[in-house]
Amino acid sequence: MPIRNIFAIAILLIAGHAYSITAEATKAIAIGEGDARIEALRAAVAGADEKTVAFIQALAEDAVKVVDGKPVIVKDDQAVDPVTGTQSPLPDTAEDVMNNNRMRGELDSALAALKLLSPDVAVRREAVKTLQGEVDESKLPLLDQAFAQETVPDIKERLGLLRAAALLGSADPAKRLAAAKLLADSPQAATKTLLIERLQIEQDPGVKGALHFSLHQVESRLAWGDRLGAIFSGISLGSILLLVALGLAITYGLMGVINMAHGELMMIGAYATYVVQGLFQKYLPGAFDWYLLASVPVAFLASALVGAALERSVIRFLYGRPLETLLATWGISLVLMQGVRTLFGAQNVGVENPSWMSGGVQVLGNLSLPYNRLVIVGFAIAVLVGVWFLIEKTRLGLFVRGVTQNRPIAACMGVNTARIDTYAFALGSGIAGLAGCALSQVGNVGPDLGQGYIVDSFMVVVLGGVGQLAGTVYAALGLGVLNKFLEGWTGAVLAKIAVLVFIIIFIQKRPQGIFAMKGRSAEA
C-alpha cells in the first residue's frame, strides 16, 4: 500500500478512537509467542493510529527486524523506531522477524480491515471482499466505524453482513441470534462455511434454530448462483463450439469434405495471434491493449490462405471420395502440427489477455462472469451475424447456396463451381482461424490445440444438420449447456460419454439432424 494511503487511513483513524502504539505492543506483535502475537495484533488494529498502520504494513512486507530485543522498521538501510520515529544505522546483528502462514494471514486481514476507512471507494470495496469469512469480534470497532461513515450503498450492505459475521462469535446469545438472522440475506459463499462452523459449537437452542434457517436461505441462494453459473459456462462453451463448427459447417456442407485438418487451421489462427502479440510487445508496447483487434484479421487471413492452398493443391482432386479426403486431411493435420513444432517449439506458448479483458462482473456472491468469456460470447455472435449476412445477402453467398443445393445445375447456369469451392473452403478455414484467435484468450496455445475440438465440432455439425447455420447454432449452444449441467452431476468424463450417447440416439431417429438440407438434390 502506498505511503500516502497509509497516512490517509491514519487521518481517518485518528478522528475515531486511535491510540499511540507502545514499545510493549510492537514487541508483542513482532516477537511474541503463538496466539499472543495474534491477540496483540488484533488489539492494535482495534485502535490503530498512523504509526500502528505503518508498523503493520512493514511487518507484512518483511521490513521489520529485531535489534537488541526491540523491533525496528528497516528503511534505506536505517533502523527506524516504530514508536518514536528516530533513525539509527542498521547493525549487522539485526535479526529477521519470522512470520508463519497464519501470522501472514492475520496481517493481510488486519490491513484489509484498515483499508475499510480508505477515501478510495475501490480500495474499500476490495477490502470488504478480502475480509469475507475472516472477521472476528476483535474487528468490530473498525467495522462499526466503517459502517457508520460509509455512504456507498452496496459497500454499506456488505459491511453490515461483515458486522453480523463478527457478532456471530460474541459471548452474548442475543447478539449471536441477531447476527444469525442478518446473515440469512448474505449472498456470499463464505457465509455458508461460517454458519456451518458456528452450528457445530452453538449450544443455545434459539440461536441454533436461527442458524439452521439462515443456512437454508444461503444454500438456496447459492444454488441459484450455481445454476446460473452452469448456464453461463454452457453458453460460453457453446460459443466456442459455434466458432469452431461454423467453418466446418460451410466446408462439410458445401463440398462433403471430412476435413480432419480443421483443428489445425484453428491452431494457425491461435499462433497468428501469438505472433501479433509478440510484434506489439516489441514495436508497439504502448498500444499492447489493442493487439487483439489487430490479431482478428491476421488470424482470419492466415488460416484462409492456408485453407485455400490446401483446397487448390490437394482437396480439389478428392471431391466425391469422402474416405480419401478424411485420410488426406488427417495427413495434412500431422504436417501442420509438425510445422508448428518446428517453428515455435513443442511447448505451449503464452498469449496474454489485454487489460480490458481481465477481471469480471460479480453478479452473485458465488457467480462471477469473466470479461474474456463475455467478449468471446459477443465475438461468436458477431461472427455468426457476419457469416449469415455473407451467405444470405451477397452474390458469393448466393453462389455458395446454389452449389450446395444442386452443383450440376449451378454449373449449367454459369457458376464457376471450382472457384466457389476454393472461396468457400478459404472462408471456412478463416472462420476456424477466428476460433483459434478466441481460444487463445481462454487457454494454452500449443501444437495440439485443435485436437481437443475437432470431434466436438463434427458432432455439432452433424447434430445441427449438414450445411445449416441455424442448426449449428442450436446444436452448439445445446451441447454446451447440456455438457456443463451433466458435468455437475456425473463429472467431465461421464458427461462426455452421455452427450455422445445422446447424439448417437438422436441421429438414429433423425439422420438429417435438427434442420434438414433443402434442395432437389437433397430430396432425391
Side-chain angles (χ1 to χ4, degrees):
M1 182 169 55
I3 194 70
R4 63 178 180 273
N5 286 353
I6 294 177
F7 282 113
I9 293 172
I11 290 171
L12 290 168
L13 290 170
I14 292 169
H17 52 275
Y19 68 93
S20 296
I21 194 169
T22 63
E24 289 74 17
T26 61
K27 288 182 181 179
I29 296 172
I31 57 178
E33 295 293 333
D35 292 341
R37 289 186 70 189
I38 294 173
E39 291 300 323
L41 175 63
R42 291 176 177 176
V45 170
D49 67 344
E50 173 187 340
K51 294 178 179 178
T52 308
V53 176
F55 181 65
I56 295 173
Q57 181 70 35
L59 269 175
E61 295 173 354
D62 293 325
V64 174
K65 292 185 179 293
V66 178
V67 177
D68 297 331
K70 292 174 57 178
V72 296
I73 298 175
V74 178
K75 185 178 181 182
D76 299 328
D77 294 327
Q78 293 288 309
V80 181
D81 189 297
V83 179
T84 65
T86 58
Q87 296 186 14
S88 59
L90 182 67
D92 295 336
T93 57
E95 300 176 359
D96 293 331
V97 173
M98 304 303 294
N99 294 320
N100 57 24
N101 289 338
R102 184 186 176 196
M103 188 64 187
R104 290 188 183 279
E106 288 289 337
L107 288 169
D108 292 340
S109 177
L111 289 172
L114 293 170
K115 290 177 184 177
L116 291 174
L117 300 171
S118 168
D120 189 330
V121 174
V123 171
R124 297 201 304 275
R125 186 173 280 116
E126 185 62 29
V128 171
K129 185 177 179 181
T130 302
L131 283 172
Q132 288 168 4
E134 298 181 8
V135 293
D136 50 62
E137 201 170 5
S138 67
K139 294 185 177 66
L140 271 176
L142 267 178
L143 291 171
D144 289 336
Q145 187 178 352
F147 184 81
Q149 69 182 39
E150 185 57 64
T151 57
V152 180
D154 68 303
I155 299 179
K156 195 175 185 75
E157 180 183 356
R158 294 184 182 184
L159 279 171
L161 293 173
L162 282 179
R163 291 173 69 243
L167 284 169
L168 206 58
S170 173
D172 187 347
K175 291 183 179 179
R176 297 202 303 275
L177 181 62
K181 291 179 179 179
L182 283 172
L183 289 173
D185 297 326
S186 173
Q188 306 301 329
T191 305
K192 177 182 176 180
T193 304
L194 184 69
L195 291 170
I196 291 174
E197 290 176 351
R198 187 64 209 179
L199 267 171
Q200 294 174 350
I201 60 174
E202 183 58 56
Q203 300 296 324
D204 188 282
V207 177
K208 204 162 189 175
L211 288 171
H212 276 294
F213 175 79
S214 295
L215 180 60
H216 175 72
Q217 294 293 103
V218 171
E219 286 179 336
S220 298
R221 196 172 291 108
L222 292 177
W224 273 108
D226 291 338
R227 294 187 194 105
L228 293 175
I231 292 173
F232 175 75
S233 297
I235 293 174
S236 176
L237 175 61
S239 66
I240 292 173
L241 290 177
L242 176 61
L243 281 172
V244 176
L246 265 179
L248 196 63
I250 295 172
T251 56
Y252 187 32
L254 175 63
M255 293 167 283
V257 175
I258 303 176
N259 183 15
M260 295 302 293
H262 189 76
E264 280 58 52
L265 293 169
M266 183 174 65
M267 172 197 68
I268 289 172
Y271 272 99
T273 305
Y274 169 71
V275 170
V276 173
Q277 173 194 254
L279 292 175
F280 268 73
Q281 287 174 333
K282 186 174 181 179
Y283 299 107
L284 296 169
F288 180 76
D289 277 348
W290 304 105
Y291 91 87
L292 192 58
L293 298 181
S295 299
V296 171
V298 173
F300 179 87
L301 288 174
S303 295
L305 290 173
V306 172
L310 292 179
E311 196 280 334
R312 298 299 290 177
S313 61
V314 177
I315 296 172
R316 66 180 299 188
F317 302 108
L318 301 175
Y319 290 138
R321 296 144 71 182
L323 180 59
E324 293 183 27
T325 60
L326 185 151
L327 294 174
T329 54
W330 179 68
I332 291 170
S333 73
L334 297 179
V335 172
L336 291 176
M337 281 194 289
Q338 190 56 47
V340 165
R341 288 192 180 98
T342 303
L343 288 173
F344 299 98
Q347 300 299 318
N348 292 340
V349 296
V351 178
E352 299 179 21
N353 290 141
S355 61
W356 49 272
M357 283 181 68
S358 301
V361 180
Q362 193 71 35
V363 180
L364 297 174
N366 61 333
L367 176 59
S368 177
L369 308 183
Y371 287 136
N372 59 348
R373 294 279 181 174
L374 289 171
V375 170
I376 288 175
V377 172
F379 181 64
I381 294 172
V383 172
L384 175 64
V385 171
V387 171
W388 172 84
F389 181 83
L390 185 66
I391 296 297
E392 297 291 334
K393 303 296 182 181
T394 66
R395 184 178 178 85
L396 173 62
L398 177 63
F399 288 166
V400 168
R401 285 183 283 124
V403 173
T404 301
Q405 293 178 14
N406 198 317
R407 179 181 293 270
I409 295 299
C412 290
M413 297 296 291
V415 176
N416 189 334
T417 57
R419 182 179 298 173
I420 295 301
D421 286 341
T422 302
Y423 288 161
F425 201 89
L427 175 62
S429 301
I431 295 172
L434 294 179
C437 180
L439 279 171
S440 70
Q441 301 301 303
V442 294
N444 295 322
V445 175
D448 300 324
L449 173 67
Q451 297 299 301
Y453 291 93
I454 185 64
V455 175
D456 288 341
S457 60
F458 269 108
M459 288 196 299
V460 168
V461 172
V462 173
L463 180 63
V466 176
Q468 301 299 308
L469 288 182
T472 303
V473 174
Y474 284 116
L477 294 180
L479 289 181
V481 173
L482 178 63
N483 192 70
K484 287 300 178 182
F485 269 106
L486 289 176
E487 277 185 13
W489 294 334
T490 64
V493 176
L494 289 177
K496 285 282 187 184
I497 296 173
V499 168
L500 180 59
V501 170
F502 165 76
I503 291 174
I504 292 172
I505 295 173
F506 184 89
I507 296 301
Q508 287 289 323
K509 298 294 184 182
R510 190 178 174 86
Q512 70 271 36
I514 298 175
F515 292 94
M517 182 181 291
K518 297 178 181 179
R520 292 181 181 178
S521 62
E523 295 167 359

